[in-house]
Amino acid sequence: MAAKPGSKSAFVLFDVIYADGSRRSNRKVPAEILGGLDGDEPARKVIQEQDNEIAKASGKPPLTIAQLIRAGGKKR
């Protein structure tokens, strides 16, 4: 069944720009951890944890996150 128009999504998508200039798009972060006084900063921790799991599976070191941008959002 499709979601009702105007209902909140369970996830927020982020584009991640790494220190080496590479970019990964549409990284999912649970919507309930965002907002409040910290804004989107909790997303950095979640994405870093995801990156650590990916790095562990691939055998490559994790990249350093330089910037997070909500998908479809403006650069800050």
Side-chain angles (χ1 to χ4, degrees), residues 28-71:
K28 287 184 178 180
V29 175
E32 68 264 5
I33 69 162
L34 302 175
L37 296 176
D38 293 331
D40 289 344
E41 195 55 34
R44 182 178 298 271
K45 182 178 179 187
V46 171
I47 292 172
Q48 189 64 53
E49 288 171 1
Q50 292 172 357
D51 284 351
N52 289 340
E53 289 296 318
I54 292 166
K56 183 178 176 183
S58 71
K60 296 179 182 178
L63 299 173
T64 303
I65 297 173
Q67 187 176 18
L68 290 177
I69 305 167
R70 280 190 187 229

Side-chain angles (χ1 to χ4, degrees), residues 7-24:
S7 65
K8 282 196 166 188
S9 174
F11 294 97
V12 176
L13 300 176
F14 283 86
D15 293 339
V16 182
I17 300 172
Y18 293 96
D20 69 354
S22 64
R23 180 182 189 135
R24 306 290 186 274

